[in-house]
Amino acid sequence: MLDDVLIKILSLMPAKDAVATSGIATRWKYLWRNLRQLNFDGSETFRDKIDLADVVKSESEKFINQVNSVIRSYNHLTVSDFRIRYGLNHNHQTNIHDWLQFAVRKKVEFLELDLTGLYGYMYSNGEPFDFPTVVVLHYLKKLILKRLNVTEVIFHKFLKNSPNLEMISIHDPLYLDDIIIGGECRNLRHLEIVDAYKYAKSIYLSDLDLLSFTFKGYYIDLLFARLSKLKELDLDVVRLNINNVFRQISLCALSLESLSITVKKPEVRRILKLESVPVLPNLKKLRLAVGGGGNECFLFLPSVINACPNLETFSIKKESNRCNPQKHLRLIEIVEYKGRKCDFELAAYIIQSAVALKKVVISIVRERMKARSSAERIKSIKPQDVELVIV
Protein backbone atom coordinates (compact mmCIF):
# COMPACT_ATOMS: atom_id res chain seq x y z
CA MET A 1 0.00 0.00 0.00
CA LEU A 2 1.02 3.57 -0.56
CA ASP A 3 2.33 5.54 2.42
CA ASP A 4 -0.68 7.85 2.24
CA VAL A 5 -2.99 4.85 2.71
CA LEU A 6 -0.96 3.53 5.65
CA ILE A 7 -0.96 6.95 7.29
CA LYS A 8 -4.73 7.11 6.87
CA ILE A 9 -5.03 3.76 8.67
CA LEU A 10 -2.72 4.94 11.46
CA SER A 11 -4.81 8.08 11.91
CA LEU A 12 -7.73 5.88 12.99
CA MET A 13 -5.73 4.44 15.90
CA PRO A 14 -4.96 5.85 19.33
CA ALA A 15 -1.56 7.57 19.19
CA LYS A 16 0.23 4.98 21.35
CA ASP A 17 -0.90 2.17 19.01
CA ALA A 18 0.14 4.12 15.94
CA VAL A 19 3.60 4.68 17.46
CA ALA A 20 3.86 0.97 18.27
CA THR A 21 3.69 0.14 14.55
CA SER A 22 7.19 1.61 14.19
CA GLY A 23 8.52 -1.83 15.19
CA ILE A 24 6.81 -3.69 12.35
CA ALA A 25 9.51 -3.01 9.76
CA THR A 26 12.04 -0.40 8.67
CA ARG A 27 9.49 1.23 6.38
CA TRP A 28 7.11 1.74 9.34
CA LYS A 29 9.72 3.16 11.73
CA TYR A 30 8.95 6.83 11.19
CA LEU A 31 5.66 6.56 9.35
CA TRP A 32 3.58 7.57 12.39
CA ARG A 33 5.34 10.95 12.49
CA ASN A 34 3.34 11.96 9.44
CA LEU A 35 0.11 11.78 11.39
CA ARG A 36 -1.80 15.03 11.75
CA GLN A 37 -4.22 13.59 14.32
CA LEU A 38 -2.82 12.65 17.73
CA ASN A 39 -5.42 10.92 19.86
CA PHE A 40 -4.31 9.88 23.37
CA ASP A 41 -7.23 7.95 24.80
CA GLY A 42 -6.66 6.35 28.20
CA SER A 43 -10.27 6.52 29.35
CA GLU A 44 -10.53 2.72 29.59
CA THR A 45 -7.38 2.32 31.73
CA PHE A 46 -9.08 1.24 34.94
CA ARG A 47 -12.04 -0.65 33.59
CA ASP A 48 -10.65 -4.09 34.42
CA LYS A 49 -8.78 -3.10 37.56
CA ILE A 50 -9.97 -4.28 40.97
CA ASP A 51 -7.84 -2.33 43.44
CA LEU A 52 -7.76 1.15 41.90
CA ALA A 53 -5.91 2.76 44.79
CA ASP A 54 -2.76 0.77 44.02
CA VAL A 55 -2.66 1.50 40.31
CA VAL A 56 -3.95 5.05 39.85
CA LYS A 57 -0.62 6.79 40.41
CA SER A 58 1.51 4.37 38.36
CA GLU A 59 -0.97 4.25 35.49
CA SER A 60 -1.22 8.04 35.43
CA GLU A 61 2.56 8.38 35.24
CA LYS A 62 2.66 5.78 32.49
CA PHE A 63 0.06 7.66 30.45
CA ILE A 64 1.81 11.02 30.92
CA ASN A 65 5.16 9.51 29.89
CA GLN A 66 3.58 8.04 26.76
CA VAL A 67 2.16 11.41 25.73
CA ASN A 68 5.43 13.21 26.44
CA SER A 69 7.46 10.62 24.55
CA VAL A 70 5.31 10.94 21.45
CA ILE A 71 5.22 14.73 21.31
CA ARG A 72 8.99 14.93 21.86
CA SER A 73 9.56 12.65 18.86
CA TYR A 74 6.93 14.24 16.66
CA ASN A 75 8.56 16.40 13.98
CA HIS A 76 5.71 17.31 11.63
CA LEU A 77 5.15 21.07 11.37
CA THR A 78 1.41 20.97 12.16
CA VAL A 79 -1.19 18.86 13.94
CA SER A 80 -4.83 19.26 12.98
CA ASP A 81 -6.36 17.28 15.89
CA PHE A 82 -4.88 16.88 19.38
CA ARG A 83 -6.94 14.95 21.94
CA ILE A 84 -6.22 13.93 25.52
CA ARG A 85 -8.71 11.64 27.28
CA TYR A 86 -7.61 10.61 30.75
CA GLY A 87 -8.54 11.25 34.38
CA LEU A 88 -6.07 13.89 35.52
CA ASN A 89 -6.39 16.64 38.12
CA HIS A 90 -4.81 19.92 39.23
CA ASN A 91 -1.65 18.07 40.33
CA HIS A 92 -0.90 17.47 36.66
CA GLN A 93 -1.48 21.02 35.45
CA THR A 94 2.20 21.50 34.54
CA ASN A 95 2.02 18.56 32.15
CA ILE A 96 -1.26 19.81 30.72
CA HIS A 97 0.23 23.25 30.23
CA ASP A 98 3.17 21.70 28.33
CA TRP A 99 0.70 19.87 26.08
CA LEU A 100 -1.11 23.12 25.41
CA GLN A 101 2.17 24.73 24.43
CA PHE A 102 2.72 21.81 22.04
CA ALA A 103 -0.71 22.57 20.57
CA VAL A 104 0.35 26.18 20.11
CA ARG A 105 3.59 25.24 18.33
CA LYS A 106 1.86 22.75 16.05
CA LYS A 107 -0.97 25.14 15.11
CA VAL A 108 -3.66 22.75 16.35
CA GLU A 109 -7.15 23.34 14.93
CA PHE A 110 -9.11 20.82 17.05
CA LEU A 111 -8.23 20.48 20.73
CA GLU A 112 -9.94 18.14 23.18
CA LEU A 113 -9.02 17.86 26.87
CA ASP A 114 -11.21 15.24 28.53
CA LEU A 115 -10.11 14.76 32.15
CA THR A 116 -13.08 12.65 33.15
CA GLY A 117 -11.81 9.76 35.26
CA LEU A 118 -13.52 6.38 35.44
CA TYR A 119 -15.70 6.08 38.56
CA GLY A 120 -14.67 9.60 39.53
CA TYR A 121 -11.38 8.51 41.14
CA MET A 122 -9.35 11.11 39.30
CA TYR A 123 -11.67 14.05 39.76
CA SER A 124 -10.24 17.29 41.09
CA ASN A 125 -12.89 18.12 43.68
CA GLY A 126 -11.58 21.29 45.22
CA GLU A 127 -8.75 22.78 43.21
CA PRO A 128 -9.10 24.64 39.89
CA PHE A 129 -6.43 24.59 37.22
CA ASP A 130 -4.16 27.60 37.10
CA PHE A 131 -1.91 27.88 34.06
CA PRO A 132 1.21 29.98 34.70
CA THR A 133 1.34 31.57 31.25
CA VAL A 134 -1.16 32.67 28.64
CA VAL A 135 -1.86 30.08 25.96
CA VAL A 136 -2.35 31.67 22.53
CA LEU A 137 -4.07 29.31 20.10
CA HIS A 138 -4.40 31.40 16.96
CA TYR A 139 -5.30 28.46 14.71
CA LEU A 140 -7.77 26.75 17.04
CA LYS A 141 -11.23 26.21 15.51
CA LYS A 142 -12.78 23.56 17.74
CA LEU A 143 -12.37 23.25 21.52
CA ILE A 144 -13.75 20.52 23.80
CA LEU A 145 -13.18 20.75 27.56
CA LYS A 146 -14.46 17.96 29.80
CA ARG A 147 -14.04 18.16 33.56
CA LEU A 148 -11.26 20.70 33.14
CA ASN A 149 -11.59 22.80 36.28
CA VAL A 150 -10.85 26.17 34.74
CA THR A 151 -11.91 29.39 36.40
CA GLU A 152 -13.81 32.10 34.55
CA VAL A 153 -10.54 34.03 34.15
CA ILE A 154 -8.77 31.09 32.51
CA PHE A 155 -11.78 30.31 30.34
CA HIS A 156 -11.85 33.85 28.99
CA LYS A 157 -8.13 33.63 28.28
CA PHE A 158 -8.96 30.69 26.03
CA LEU A 159 -11.59 32.77 24.26
CA LYS A 160 -9.50 35.92 23.98
CA ASN A 161 -6.47 34.10 22.64
CA SER A 162 -8.34 31.86 20.20
CA PRO A 163 -9.81 34.36 17.71
CA ASN A 164 -10.70 31.70 15.12
CA LEU A 165 -12.78 29.47 17.39
CA GLU A 166 -15.85 28.11 15.59
CA MET A 167 -17.05 25.52 18.11
CA ILE A 168 -16.86 25.25 21.91
CA SER A 169 -18.08 22.28 23.95
CA ILE A 170 -17.82 22.43 27.76
CA HIS A 171 -18.75 19.46 29.94
CA ASP A 172 -19.21 19.68 33.70
CA PRO A 173 -18.07 23.31 34.19
CA LEU A 174 -17.21 23.21 37.90
CA TYR A 175 -15.89 26.76 38.22
CA LEU A 176 -17.96 28.60 35.65
CA ASP A 177 -20.86 30.13 37.57
CA ASP A 178 -21.52 32.89 35.05
CA ILE A 179 -20.60 32.28 31.43
CA ILE A 180 -20.29 35.43 29.35
CA ILE A 181 -19.35 35.22 25.68
CA GLY A 182 -19.45 38.32 23.54
CA GLY A 183 -18.06 39.96 20.45
CA GLU A 184 -14.49 38.73 21.06
CA CYS A 185 -15.56 35.42 19.48
CA ARG A 186 -16.76 36.69 16.14
CA ASN A 187 -16.16 33.35 14.42
CA LEU A 188 -18.01 31.25 17.01
CA ARG A 189 -20.79 29.25 15.36
CA HIS A 190 -21.58 26.41 17.79
CA LEU A 191 -21.69 26.47 21.60
CA GLU A 192 -22.46 23.46 23.81
CA ILE A 193 -22.54 23.41 27.62
CA VAL A 194 -23.59 20.07 29.11
CA ASP A 195 -23.63 18.33 32.50
CA ALA A 196 -23.89 21.73 34.19
CA TYR A 197 -25.87 20.39 37.14
CA LYS A 198 -23.92 21.97 40.00
CA TYR A 199 -22.51 25.40 39.39
CA ALA A 200 -23.48 27.11 36.12
CA LYS A 201 -26.09 29.76 36.92
CA SER A 202 -26.31 32.21 34.05
CA ILE A 203 -25.27 32.51 30.43
CA TYR A 204 -24.98 35.79 28.58
CA LEU A 205 -24.45 35.58 24.83
CA SER A 206 -24.16 38.72 22.75
CA ASP A 207 -22.89 40.05 19.42
CA LEU A 208 -22.23 36.60 17.98
CA ASP A 209 -22.90 34.91 14.63
CA LEU A 210 -23.87 31.81 16.59
CA LEU A 211 -25.75 29.10 14.65
CA SER A 212 -26.46 26.63 17.45
CA PHE A 213 -26.57 26.68 21.24
CA THR A 214 -27.07 23.66 23.52
CA PHE A 215 -27.36 23.73 27.30
CA LYS A 216 -27.97 20.75 29.60
CA GLY A 217 -27.98 21.35 33.33
CA TYR A 218 -30.00 22.07 36.44
CA TYR A 219 -31.07 25.66 35.87
CA ILE A 220 -30.17 28.41 33.47
CA ASP A 221 -30.76 32.16 33.48
CA LEU A 222 -30.49 33.10 29.81
CA LEU A 223 -29.70 36.48 28.37
CA PHE A 224 -29.39 36.94 24.60
CA ALA A 225 -28.39 40.07 22.71
CA ARG A 226 -27.87 40.44 18.98
CA LEU A 227 -27.85 36.77 17.97
CA SER A 228 -29.37 37.34 14.57
CA LYS A 229 -28.21 34.05 13.02
CA LEU A 230 -29.13 31.52 15.72
CA LYS A 231 -30.83 28.57 14.01
CA GLU A 232 -30.81 25.79 16.63
CA LEU A 233 -31.59 26.08 20.34
CA ASP A 234 -31.58 23.00 22.61
CA LEU A 235 -32.33 23.39 26.34
CA ASP A 236 -32.46 20.34 28.64
CA VAL A 237 -32.84 21.41 32.26
CA VAL A 238 -34.31 20.37 35.58
CA ARG A 239 -35.92 23.75 36.22
CA LEU A 240 -36.61 26.58 33.81
CA ASN A 241 -38.17 30.03 33.79
CA ILE A 242 -40.29 29.48 30.69
CA ASN A 243 -41.28 33.14 30.38
CA ASN A 244 -37.65 34.25 30.33
CA VAL A 245 -36.78 31.63 27.72
CA PHE A 246 -39.45 32.85 25.32
CA ARG A 247 -38.42 36.46 25.93
CA GLN A 248 -34.89 35.57 24.85
CA ILE A 249 -36.14 33.50 21.93
CA SER A 250 -38.04 36.55 20.70
CA LEU A 251 -34.68 38.24 20.09
CA CYS A 252 -33.72 35.63 17.50
CA ALA A 253 -37.20 34.61 16.35
CA LEU A 254 -36.60 35.30 12.65
CA SER A 255 -33.58 33.01 12.34
CA LEU A 256 -34.62 30.09 14.59
CA GLU A 257 -35.31 26.84 12.68
CA SER A 258 -35.05 24.18 15.39
CA LEU A 259 -36.17 24.44 19.03
CA SER A 260 -35.94 21.73 21.68
CA ILE A 261 -37.00 22.33 25.29
CA THR A 262 -36.86 19.65 28.00
CA VAL A 263 -37.93 20.53 31.55
CA LYS A 264 -37.77 17.70 34.07
CA LYS A 265 -39.34 19.55 37.03
CA PRO A 266 -41.47 22.34 35.58
CA GLU A 267 -42.79 25.24 37.62
CA VAL A 268 -46.43 24.67 36.73
CA ARG A 269 -47.66 28.05 37.91
CA ARG A 270 -45.23 29.87 35.65
CA ILE A 271 -46.15 27.70 32.68
CA LEU A 272 -49.86 28.33 33.21
CA LYS A 273 -49.13 32.06 33.37
CA LEU A 274 -47.10 32.08 30.17
CA GLU A 275 -47.01 35.71 29.11
CA SER A 276 -46.58 35.38 25.36
CA VAL A 277 -44.94 33.26 22.69
CA PRO A 278 -43.11 35.11 19.91
CA VAL A 279 -44.00 34.29 16.32
CA LEU A 280 -41.36 31.91 14.92
CA PRO A 281 -41.92 32.18 11.17
CA ASN A 282 -39.04 29.94 10.11
CA LEU A 283 -39.22 27.27 12.81
CA LYS A 284 -39.41 23.86 11.16
CA LYS A 285 -38.59 21.50 14.04
CA LEU A 286 -40.05 21.65 17.54
CA ARG A 287 -39.49 19.24 20.41
CA LEU A 288 -41.10 19.64 23.85
CA ALA A 289 -40.56 17.29 26.78
CA VAL A 290 -42.02 18.10 30.18
CA GLY A 291 -41.67 16.12 33.40
CA GLY A 292 -43.75 16.23 36.53
CA GLY A 293 -46.96 14.54 37.52
CA GLY A 294 -49.64 16.57 35.79
CA ASN A 295 -50.69 17.02 32.19
CA GLU A 296 -51.65 20.63 32.92
CA CYS A 297 -48.09 21.53 31.94
CA PHE A 298 -49.09 21.02 28.31
CA LEU A 299 -51.81 23.66 28.38
CA PHE A 300 -49.37 26.12 26.84
CA LEU A 301 -48.99 24.00 23.69
CA PRO A 302 -51.63 25.76 21.56
CA SER A 303 -49.87 29.09 22.08
CA VAL A 304 -46.54 27.59 21.03
CA ILE A 305 -47.88 25.78 17.99
CA ASN A 306 -49.85 28.79 16.77
CA ALA A 307 -46.62 30.76 16.84
CA CYS A 308 -45.00 28.34 14.36
CA PRO A 309 -46.85 28.65 11.01
CA ASN A 310 -44.24 26.68 9.02
CA LEU A 311 -43.63 23.83 11.44
CA GLU A 312 -42.72 20.54 9.73
CA THR A 313 -41.69 18.26 12.64
CA PHE A 314 -43.27 18.27 16.09
CA SER A 315 -42.32 15.94 18.96
CA ILE A 316 -43.91 15.89 22.39
CA LYS A 317 -42.99 13.72 25.36
CA LYS A 318 -43.73 13.29 29.04
CA GLU A 319 -40.41 13.01 30.88
CA SER A 320 -41.95 11.15 33.82
CA ASN A 321 -43.43 7.67 33.69
CA ARG A 322 -45.68 8.66 36.57
CA CYS A 323 -47.74 11.23 34.66
CA ASN A 324 -51.37 11.36 35.72
CA PRO A 325 -53.80 10.28 33.00
CA GLN A 326 -56.91 12.35 32.32
CA LYS A 327 -59.48 10.20 34.14
CA HIS A 328 -62.56 12.36 33.59
CA LEU A 329 -62.11 13.68 30.04
CA ARG A 330 -64.86 12.13 27.86
CA LEU A 331 -65.24 14.54 24.95
CA ILE A 332 -62.46 16.16 22.91
CA GLU A 333 -63.29 18.77 20.27
CA ILE A 334 -60.52 20.01 17.99
CA VAL A 335 -61.52 23.15 16.10
CA GLU A 336 -59.92 24.37 12.86
CA TYR A 337 -57.87 21.23 12.36
CA LYS A 338 -55.36 21.91 9.55
CA GLY A 339 -53.81 18.48 9.17
CA ARG A 340 -50.20 19.45 9.76
CA LYS A 341 -47.91 16.93 11.41
CA CYS A 342 -47.84 19.04 14.56
CA ASP A 343 -51.69 19.05 14.63
CA PHE A 344 -51.78 15.27 14.37
CA GLU A 345 -49.13 14.75 17.06
CA LEU A 346 -50.94 17.05 19.48
CA ALA A 347 -54.28 15.32 18.86
CA ALA A 348 -52.66 11.91 19.31
CA TYR A 349 -51.10 12.92 22.61
CA ILE A 350 -54.38 14.24 24.04
CA ILE A 351 -56.36 11.19 22.89
CA GLN A 352 -53.88 8.73 24.32
CA SER A 353 -53.76 10.49 27.70
CA ALA A 354 -57.56 10.57 28.11
CA VAL A 355 -58.34 7.10 29.50
CA ALA A 356 -62.08 7.77 29.91
CA LEU A 357 -62.54 9.21 26.42
CA LYS A 358 -65.82 8.48 24.60
CA LYS A 359 -65.93 10.87 21.65
CA VAL A 360 -63.58 12.95 19.47
CA VAL A 361 -64.92 15.70 17.23
CA ILE A 362 -62.58 17.19 14.64
CA SER A 363 -63.64 20.33 12.81
CA ILE A 364 -61.57 20.75 9.64
CA VAL A 365 -60.57 24.24 8.63
CA ARG A 366 -62.26 24.69 5.24
CA GLU A 367 -62.46 21.62 3.00
CA ARG A 368 -58.87 20.48 2.74
CA MET A 369 -57.94 17.01 1.50
CA LYS A 370 -54.78 17.11 3.59
CA ALA A 371 -56.68 17.97 6.77
CA ARG A 372 -59.33 15.30 6.16
CA SER A 373 -56.73 12.66 5.35
CA SER A 374 -54.83 13.49 8.52
CA ALA A 375 -58.01 13.39 10.60
CA GLU A 376 -58.89 9.95 9.15
CA ARG A 377 -55.51 8.69 10.39
CA ILE A 378 -56.66 9.27 13.96
CA LYS A 379 -58.87 6.20 13.58
CA SER A 380 -55.77 4.06 13.75
CA ILE A 381 -54.62 5.46 17.11
CA LYS A 382 -57.89 5.87 19.03
CA PRO A 383 -59.39 3.05 21.14
CA GLN A 384 -62.08 1.05 19.37
CA ASP A 385 -64.85 2.20 21.73
CA VAL A 386 -64.13 5.91 21.08
CA GLU A 387 -66.38 7.58 18.48
CA LEU A 388 -64.66 9.80 15.91
CA VAL A 389 -66.63 12.53 14.15
CA ILE A 390 -65.07 14.59 11.35
CA VAL A 391 -66.96 17.70 10.26
Side-chain angles (χ1 to χ4, degrees):
M1 289 184 287
L2 297 174
D3 283 358
D4 288 346
V5 176
L6 296 177
I7 292 169
K8 180 64 177 178
I9 294 173
L10 293 181
S11 69
L12 302 176
M13 301 179 181
K16 66 182 184 67
D17 295 334
V19 174
T21 63
S22 62
I24 293 178
T26 302
R27 182 189 175 195
W28 289 75
K29 188 172 183 180
Y30 300 109
L31 202 59
W32 69 270
R33 295 186 181 181
N34 293 293
L35 291 176
R36 297 195 65 234
Q37 299 88 22
L38 295 180
N39 177 12
F40 299 93
D41 190 350
S43 57
E44 301 293 319
T45 300
F46 303 114
R47 184 167 298 279
D48 298 322
K49 305 294 183 180
I50 298 177
D51 190 357
L52 289 175
D54 292 338
V55 300
V56 164
K57 184 176 180 180
S58 61
E59 291 292 342
S60 297
E61 291 177 351
K62 180 180 178 181
F63 177 83
I64 291 171
N65 290 335
Q66 286 175 342
V67 175
N68 290 337
S69 176
V70 170
I71 64 178
R72 279 196 299 266
S73 302
Y74 189 85
N75 55 10
H76 202 284
L77 294 177
T78 61
V79 176
S80 61
D81 297 8
F82 184 51
R83 310 185 192 190
I84 301 287
R85 298 192 187 104
Y86 196 84
L88 303 174
N89 58 35
H90 68 281
N91 294 322
H92 305 103
Q93 62 188 18
T94 300
N95 295 108
I96 295 173
H97 181 260
D98 291 340
W99 299 339
L100 287 173
Q101 293 294 355
F102 171 80
V104 173
R105 294 194 303 272
K106 298 302 180 180
K107 303 178 181 179
V108 167
E109 296 180 1
F110 175 16
L111 174 64
E112 178 180 351
L113 294 177
D114 181 356
L115 307 189
T116 304
L118 191 64
Y119 308 127
Y121 273 83
M122 300 301 290
Y123 283 174
S124 173
N125 294 320
E127 295 292 336
F129 282 92
D130 183 21
F131 301 113
T133 60
V134 177
V135 176
V136 181
L137 294 158
H138 284 300
Y139 297 89
L140 190 64
K141 294 182 178 179
K142 185 175 181 180
L143 175 65
I144 299 178
L145 303 178
K146 295 185 179 182
R147 197 71 186 197
L148 186 66
N149 299 353
V150 296
T151 62
E152 293 174 16
V153 173
I154 297 299
F155 175 65
H156 283 286
K157 282 184 180 180
F158 270 107
L159 299 184
K160 182 179 179 180
N161 295 295
S162 306
N164 293 305
L165 264 178
E166 297 176 1
M167 182 270 188
I168 302 175
S169 179
I170 306 173
H171 295 240
D172 204 353
L174 293 184
Y175 290 89
L176 297 178
D177 292 342
D178 303 300
I179 299 174
I180 302 174
I181 303 178
E184 73 273 15
C185 298
R186 294 302 303 175
N187 291 304
L188 188 62
R189 299 293 181 266
H190 307 281
L191 174 62
E192 178 184 66
I193 301 172
V194 299
D195 295 332
Y197 291 102
K198 295 181 180 180
Y199 298 94
K201 298 176 182 177
S202 65
I203 296 180
Y204 177 35
L205 305 176
S206 67
D207 299 291
L208 298 170
D209 290 335
L210 205 62
L211 298 179
S212 69
F213 172 53
T214 297
F215 179 87
K216 298 182 180 182
Y218 184 82
Y219 177 82
I220 181 176
D221 184 13
L222 275 181
L223 185 59
F224 290 165
R226 295 174 292 282
L227 301 180
S228 60
K229 296 184 180 180
L230 188 65
K231 292 185 177 181
E232 299 179 15
L233 177 60
D234 185 353
L235 303 177
D236 186 338
V237 296
V238 178
R239 295 189 180 277
L240 186 70
N241 184 334
I242 194 71
N243 279 301
N244 178 58
V245 168
F246 280 112
R247 279 196 296 269
Q248 303 311 313
I249 288 176
S250 68
L251 301 177
C252 52
L254 294 178
S255 61
L256 207 59
E257 297 180 2
S258 175
L259 174 62
S260 177
I261 299 178
T262 299
V263 188
K264 295 179 174 62
K265 294 182 180 179
E267 299 177 16
V268 177
R269 292 182 180 179
R270 289 190 175 184
I271 289 179
L272 297 181
K273 294 181 180 180
L274 185 62
E275 295 170 358
S276 64
V277 178
V279 176
L280 304 171
N282 295 306
L283 195 73
K284 295 179 175 62
K285 183 178 181 180
L286 174 64
R287 180 183 184 276
L288 299 172
V290 181
N295 291 323
E296 65 270 19
C297 293
F298 286 104
L299 294 177
F300 72 100
L301 283 179
S303 298
V304 177
I305 293 176
N306 288 336
C308 310
N310 293 304
L311 198 62
E312 297 177 358
T313 302
F314 175 57
S315 174
I316 185 171
K317 178 184 178 183
K318 281 292 287 184
E319 279 294 299
S320 172
N321 294 326
R322 298 172 295 176
C323 65
N324 297 329
Q326 296 290 347
K327 298 179 180 180
H328 306 289
L329 186 60
R330 289 177 169 78
L331 171 64
I332 295 175
E333 184 177 0
I334 302 176
V335 181
E336 295 187 353
Y337 186 83
K338 297 181 180 179
R340 299 171 299 180
K341 185 174 181 179
C342 60
D343 299 324
F344 178 83
E345 294 288 346
L346 179 58
Y349 175 81
I350 297 173
I351 291 170
Q352 291 169 356
S353 66
V355 296
L357 189 63
K358 296 300 181 183
K359 186 176 182 179
V360 178
V361 179
I362 299 179
S363 176
I364 297 174
V365 55
R366 306 187 191 95
E367 182 56 35
R368 291 186 178 181
M369 288 297 296
K370 179 180 178 181
R372 180 167 291 278
S373 175
S374 175
E376 291 287 347
R377 287 178 56 208
I378 293 178
K379 291 180 180 178
S380 64
I381 62 171
K382 72 174 184 63
Q384 291 184 354
D385 59 344
V386 174
E387 180 185 2
L388 175 64
V389 179
I390 303 174
V391 297

